[in-house]
Amino acid sequence: MITREQLENNQVWLYVIVLVIAAGFGLIVPDFSGQLDVTISVVIAILMYSMFSQIPFTSLKKSFANRRFIWALLTVNYLAVPIVVWLLSKLLPEYPPLLLGIYLVLLTPCIDYVIVFTALGRGNEKIILMSTPILFITQMLLLPLYLWLFMGGDAAEIVNPIPFLEAFFGLIVIPLGLAIALQIFAKKSLVGEKIIDISAWLPVPFMALTLFVVVSSQIGKLSTYIDLIIKVIPIYIAFIIIMPIISRFIAKWFKLDIGSGRALIFSGATRNSLVVLPLALALPDNLSTLVAAIIVTQTIVELAGELIYIRLVPNLLLRQKK
C-alpha cells in the first residue's frame, strides 16, 4: 500500500503524466473536455482547503522563531522577486492581460509543494512549513499593491472587483476559514485531528485533478493565444535561472545555515500558480482563458525546473561544507 510520503515524493512525475494525458484528452475530445470548466471552481476549492489544512496557522507565533530566516524570506520574495519580475516584464509586449498573468503568478511565493521540493533538495523543509502562514498572509496583502505599482490604471480596467472578490472569498477565504477552524477543533478533539490527517492525503490527488481539469478544458482554446504563450516561456525560464542565484547571495548575506539557505532558494524560485488561478478564472471570459493559460504554462515550466533544482541546489549551488 502506498504511503503519503511516497505519494508526495513522486508527485512531480504524477503531475507530468497528468499534464500529458490532459493535453491529449483535451485535443482528442474537445467538445466534452471543454465542458469540464464548470467543475474547476469546485475542484480548486477542495484543493485550497486541503493545502490550507496543512499550513500550521494555529502555530503562527512559532513562525517568527527564526527571525533571520523570516527576514531573508521576505527580502527574497518581496524585494528581489518584484524587481526581477518587473525587469523581465520589460521584455514582453505592452499588453495588459499578458502582463497581468505574469504578475499574478510570479509575484506570489508558493506555499504548498515548495515544502516537498525543499525536502527533495535536502533543504530545511520544516522551516519553510512554519513560514507558510506568513508567506500566505503577506502575498495576499501585497499582491494588489504590486499590481497597482506595475500596472496602475490598466489593472483596474481589467479586473472587475465584484467577480474577483467573489472568487477570492469562495475559493480562498472560505476554504482557509474551514481549514483554520478544523485546526483549532483538532487541538481539542480526536475527530478533528482525524479529519486533518485525512485532509493531508488530498493535496497531491487534487493538485493532479486540478491540472487535468484546467488543461483538458482550456487547451482547445489556446490556439488563439499561442503566439503570446510562446513569448512568456523564455521569461519563466529566465526567472528559474536568475532567482536561485540571487537567493543564494541573500542567504549568504543573512548568514543562513546550509539547510535554511537551500530552503530560501526553493522559496524564491517556486511560485504560487494554483492559488492565484481562481483569481484569473474570475476575469471576463475573453481574458480568463489567456490569463489562466499563462499561469498554467508557468506551472509546467516550473515543474521541469524543480527536477533540475533538486539535484543542482544541494550538489552545486549550495553544497554542504566538508
Side-chain angles (χ1 to χ4, degrees), residues 3-254:
T3 65
R4 200 175 85 209
E5 185 178 359
Q6 288 172 326
L7 185 65
E8 290 175 346
N9 288 343
N10 291 285
Q11 63 181 294
V12 181
W13 297 112
L14 174 63
Y15 300 152
V16 170
I17 293 168
V18 166
L19 286 169
V20 172
I21 294 172
F25 186 75
L27 293 172
I28 293 169
V29 283
D31 292 338
F32 177 76
S33 59
Q35 296 174 15
L36 292 176
D37 58 5
V38 299
T39 68
I40 290 175
S41 293
V42 175
V43 173
I44 288 181
I46 298 172
L47 172 66
M48 292 297 101
Y49 157 73
S50 68
M51 293 193 305
F52 293 151
S53 69
Q54 305 311 303
I55 297 174
F57 288 104
T58 55
S59 303
L60 189 57
K61 286 184 180 178
K62 294 180 182 177
S63 301
F64 295 94
N66 191 332
R67 294 188 180 182
R68 184 184 298 174
F69 177 76
I70 294 301
W71 281 115
L73 193 68
L74 297 176
T75 300
V76 164
N77 283 300
Y78 301 122
L79 286 179
V81 166
I83 291 170
V84 169
V85 171
W86 183 77
L87 291 173
L88 289 175
S89 71
K90 297 303 171 186
L91 302 175
L92 291 169
E94 283 289 330
Y95 183 50
L98 175 71
L99 295 175
L100 178 63
I102 288 281
Y103 293 147
L104 277 174
V105 71
L106 291 186
L107 291 171
T108 48
C110 184
I111 56 170
D112 40 82
Y113 58 59
V114 65
I115 299 162
V116 176
F117 287 129
T118 301
L120 293 174
R122 288 181 270 165
N124 186 345
E125 76 275 14
K126 291 180 182 177
I127 202 169
I128 281 286
L129 175 63
M130 295 306 298
S131 304
T132 48
I134 295 172
L135 279 180
F136 177 72
I137 292 167
T138 48
Q139 67 185 254
M140 288 298 107
L141 291 174
L142 291 174
L143 180 59
L145 172 63
Y146 283 123
L147 290 179
W148 177 75
L149 285 174
F150 291 176
M151 299 187 69
D154 289 336
E157 289 175 15
I158 294 174
V159 180
N160 183 340
I162 302 302
F164 210 67
L165 288 172
E166 286 176 353
F168 180 73
F169 185 77
L171 300 179
I172 294 178
V173 174
I174 291 177
L176 175 63
L178 180 60
I180 293 174
L182 277 171
Q183 286 184 24
I184 295 170
F185 180 52
K187 290 201 165 196
K188 304 173 183 178
S189 166
L190 288 175
V191 175
E193 192 175 332
K194 187 69 175 175
I195 294 173
I196 293 292
D197 287 341
I198 293 171
S199 300
W201 282 86
L202 299 180
V204 175
F206 271 89
M207 183 86 76
L209 183 59
T210 299
L211 288 172
F212 178 82
V213 170
V214 170
V215 172
S216 62
S217 65
Q218 302 298 315
I219 194 166
K221 307 171 186 175
L222 299 189
S223 57
T224 311
Y225 305 111
I226 194 67
D227 56 330
L228 292 174
I229 291 170
I230 288 172
K231 286 183 171 72
V232 304
I233 291 175
I235 300 300
Y236 292 147
I237 293 173
F239 184 87
I240 283 173
I241 294 170
I242 293 168
M243 279 316 304
I245 297 169
I246 293 175
S247 300
R248 169 69 181 87
F249 281 110
I250 292 175
K252 188 176 181 181
W253 182 34
F254 279 90

Side-chain angles (χ1 to χ4, degrees), residues 250-316:
I250 292 175
K252 188 176 181 181
W253 182 34
F254 279 90
K255 299 178 181 177
L256 300 182
D257 60 69
I258 297 295
S260 298
R262 290 172 181 168
L264 188 72
I265 290 170
F266 276 96
S267 180
T270 311
R271 303 290 88 193
N272 207 356
S273 57
L274 292 179
V275 170
V276 295
L277 187 58
L279 305 182
L281 295 171
L283 295 169
D285 289 342
N286 60 324
L287 296 175
S288 63
T289 300
L290 170 60
V291 178
I294 290 170
I295 290 172
V296 173
T297 300
Q298 190 275 336
T299 303
I300 296 169
V301 174
E302 180 176 88
L303 288 174
E306 296 291 348
L307 294 176
I308 299 170
Y309 283 163
I310 58 178
R311 292 165 177 79
L312 201 65
V313 171
N315 295 318
L316 180 65

